[in-house]
Amino acid sequence: MLRKLTILLVLSGLAPAILPQQPYVVSTKPQEASQSLTPPSEPVTVTTPTSDEREGLIHLDVAARDQTGSPFGDLSAKDLTLQQDGTATKVLSFHRSNSNDEDERLNEVCLVLDEVDLSPMQFAFVKNEAINFLRRNDGVLAQPVSILWVKTDGVYGSAFPSTDGNDLAQDIATNHVSPTALKFYMDPQPNVTPRDARSIEVLRTVYAAAVNWRDKPGRKALLWLGYGWSALGKLDAKGDPFPVLVELATRIREARMVIYEITPWQDPETPVDYQPYLPEVRSQSDPRLASPVPFFALPVLAIRSGGLVLDNSKNMEGDINRCIVDASEFYTVSFDPPHAAEPDEYHDLAVLMGATQSKVRTSYGYYNQPVFYDEPRVPQKRLDIADVHQLLQTDRGERDRELAGQLNSLELTERLSTPQLASWKTRLHAKEAKAALTVLGDESVFLAPPMAEISDQPPPDESMQGQTVLRAEKYLDEVVPMLPDFSADATTVKYEQLSVDNKDTWKTTPPNRNLIQAASEQATFLYRDGREQRIVEKKADAARHIAVRNDLNYKGIFGPILGFVFEDVRRGSSKLIWTRWERTSQGTLAVFHYRVRTENPLYGVVYCCLAGGKVFQTLPEHHGEVAINPDTGAILRISVESGPGWIRETDLSPLRPVLFSNMMVEYGPVDIGGRTFICPHRSVVMTRQRTVRPIRFWGLSFDVYGPYQTLMNDTIYTRYHKFGSDSRILPGFEVVQDGKTPTSEKDHPQPRNQP
C-alpha cells in the first residue's frame, strides 16, 4: 500500500491584532506517488537554518599517514589537493575528525566473524582474538560495536551495537547470536557454485550493512576477521555484474563505510595480484568484467573504500585495534560533482598531500548521476506579452493542439495579468491549449508587469510612502478583523510535471518536464470567527497517467496571511522598499518590494517527507511584493518567494528538499450580505521539491532521492455568501393550539414584544 506524502508550507506568526493564534498554512498532499516502503511510526523532524554557505554534495574521508603509519595531525585544506579524473577539483569544505562532532567521528564498528572457510582450530583462534579485543580496558569500548557471524547457513549478528565489550565477548564465547536486520539465508541459484553462493551472501551482508548505515551520521568501519572471499563466478542468474557493482559502490560511499580485512592466513583462492581490479569499472563494456569477477573480492572492496588489507596478521587483537584507530583519525573534504550526461558516469578520485603530492588513502572513485543536480525545463524562447498576443491572434481553428506544444516551449519575460489571461483563454478551444496558456501565465505571476501597466507618475516622497504603509497596517488592524462569517467556493486546477514511472531509474529526470493539468477540485471555504475551514466537495482527475496528486490547502489567505510581511520587515535587516506605481483593473496601486532577513522570521516551510518519512522544517529568508491601494490601505496583491535552503543528510550531503516555495494571492471587492469587502479572487502556489523513490535490491528496501518535481495550483474564489439567517419578531401574532381557532380570551396569549 502506498503511503501519503505531505508537504506543508507553514507561514507561522501574525501581526499582533490579527488572529494571533492562527498559523498560515499551505499544504501539499500527493495522493499517489513513489513512496517509502517502510514508513516510520514516528516521523523525525529535521530542523535546519538556511544558509548560503554549504558543504559539497560528495564527502570523502581521507587517511593521511606518514611512512610509519602515524597520522598527520596538523594538516590544513591547503595541504591537500583533490583530483577528479586527473584534474584538480575545488574543495568546498575541510574538517578534521572530532570526537565531539557526530558528523566527523567514527560512530560505529562492526566485527565480522567468518566461520565458513576456516578450520575449527582457525576459527577458535579468531574468536579468541576478538574476545581479547572486546575485553580491553575492562570492556569499555570507544565506539559502539556490533557483531556479525558468517555461518554455513547464513549470516547472523548482535541485535544492537553496544559499548559494553564484556557483554559482546560473552555472546561470542557462548556462541550466542540474535536475530538482526542483516540476517540472510542462502538462496539457491542455478549454475552457481557453493563457494560463489556463499560469497554472494556475504557480499549481500556488506551491502546490507551499508544500507543500514547510510542514513546515520559519521564514519563507520567494517572489520572482516577471516579470509573473506575472492572472485565470484556469477552474481545472479543473468550474470550481469555491472548494476550490482554500481549499486554496491554507491551505498558504501554514501554510508561513509571503510572496510578492513584481517586474517593471519592467506586464502589460496585469493588472487595474488588484485591491483588490476582496483580501478572501478566505467561501463558494462569493460573487458575486465569477464567471469570470474574479482571486483567484488573483499581485498578489492577494502582498498577501494580507503581501508587496509592485513592478510598476514601476526597479532590479530592488536591489528583489530590498529584498524579502529586508523578509521578514527581522518580528514573529510567535500566537493561538487560535475553535471552528469548519463547515469552511472564514473569518475576517478585521488587526494594528494603536501609538496611531494603523495597519494593518501581515500575512496577510489564514484558513479555520478544526472539526478544529483536539478534539471529544470529549459524554454526554447522567452517572449513578452505583445509577442504572445501576436501568436494568439492567428486563427488556428483545429490547430489549437499544436498551439499547446508551442506554448509549452515558451517562457514570459513579464507578468501576465489575470484579466488578460482570462480574455486569451476564451479564444482557445482545445483543453490542452488552455492548460498550457494557464501554466505560461501562472509561471509569470512573480515577474514585473509590462511597461504599459507601470505608471509614469513620479514616485511619492518618503513621507507619502510611510503614510501608505501606515494605512495598510491600519487596514490590517481594523478592517480585516471586521470580516463577517461567510462561505466561498474555491475552484482549483492542479498542474504537475510527469512523475518518473516505477520502472524507470531514479538516477535521471523524465524527458517531458512540462507542467500538465493533472486534476481539478471544488471546495468550500468557511470563515467563522476569523478562522478558515476548507471542505473538499468534488475531485475530478484530468489525467490518470500522472502519478502524483497534490492537495494544496491554505489557511490565512482571507486576511491574516497579509500580516506577517509587515511584522517581519520591522525586525533584523529586513527591508520594505518602494518599487513602482502599477495600473490595474482596480486603479493605480502602490507597489513595495520586501525582503525579510531576520533570525526568526514568521514565515516557515515544513516539508514531508524526506527519505524514511522524516519531516523537514526551516525558517527561510523570503521576499516578494505587496500592492496597496494608496487611498484606503487595502492590500490587493501579495507574493511570497523563498528558497528553503539546505539540510545535512546522507551523502549526497547536503540536500535541498525544496528548491522554492512561492505563492501569490490577488484580492478584490466582493459582496457579502449586501456589503462590500476585500477578499481573495485568485491564488497561485508553486513548489519544486525532491521526489523520494523506493529501491528494492538484494532483498532490501529503502528510499533514495529522485529528480525534482514542480507542483502548481491555480485557484479561483467565487460565490461569497454570508453565514447565518436574518429574522425579525412580528408583534400581534396569535398562537394556534392543536390546529384550532381560539374561542376565548384566555386562548389568545399576549405577544411578548409590543411596538
Side-chain angles (χ1 to χ4, degrees), residues 665-687:
V665 185
E666 291 178 342
Y667 298 82
V670 299
D671 181 272
I672 304 178
R675 297 180 59 190
T676 299
F677 296 90
I678 301 297
C679 288
H681 281 185
R682 178 187 178 217
S683 66
V684 174
V685 176
M686 296 183 66
T687 66

Side-chain angles (χ1 to χ4, degrees), residues 183-239:
K183 181 178 179 180
F184 289 97
Y185 292 98
M186 302 303 180
D187 297 329
Q189 299 185 53
N191 303 319
V192 176
T193 66
R195 180 177 176 86
D196 283 342
R198 199 275 305 183
S199 298
I200 291 171
E201 292 305 317
V202 295
L203 188 62
R204 289 173 63 182
T205 301
V206 175
Y207 179 77
V211 170
N212 182 58
W213 278 338
R214 64 186 292 272
D215 61 349
K216 297 180 180 179
R219 203 180 196 201
K220 302 92 182 177
L222 186 142
L223 280 62
W224 200 282
L225 311 182
Y227 288 151
W229 64 95
S230 55
L232 299 181
K234 288 190 176 181
L235 291 169
D236 52 36
K238 297 180 180 179

Side-chain angles (χ1 to χ4, degrees), residues 465-488:
Q465 294 176 27
Q467 291 181 27
T468 301
V469 173
L470 287 175
R471 290 191 188 98
E473 292 179 342
K474 185 176 181 181
Y475 168 81
L476 293 173
D477 290 343
E478 298 180 1
V479 178
V480 172
M482 297 302 294
L483 282 172
D485 294 348
F486 62 85
S487 67

Side-chain angles (χ1 to χ4, degrees), residues 625-656:
E625 290 185 346
V626 288
I628 304 170
N629 183 319
D631 299 321
T632 66
I635 298 174
L636 299 177
R637 183 177 184 274
I638 186 170
S639 64
V640 184
E641 301 178 66
S642 71
W646 303 84
I647 62 171
R648 181 70 181 266
E649 268 243 340
T650 55
D651 194 41
L652 295 175
S653 172
L655 172 78
R656 293 188 69 182

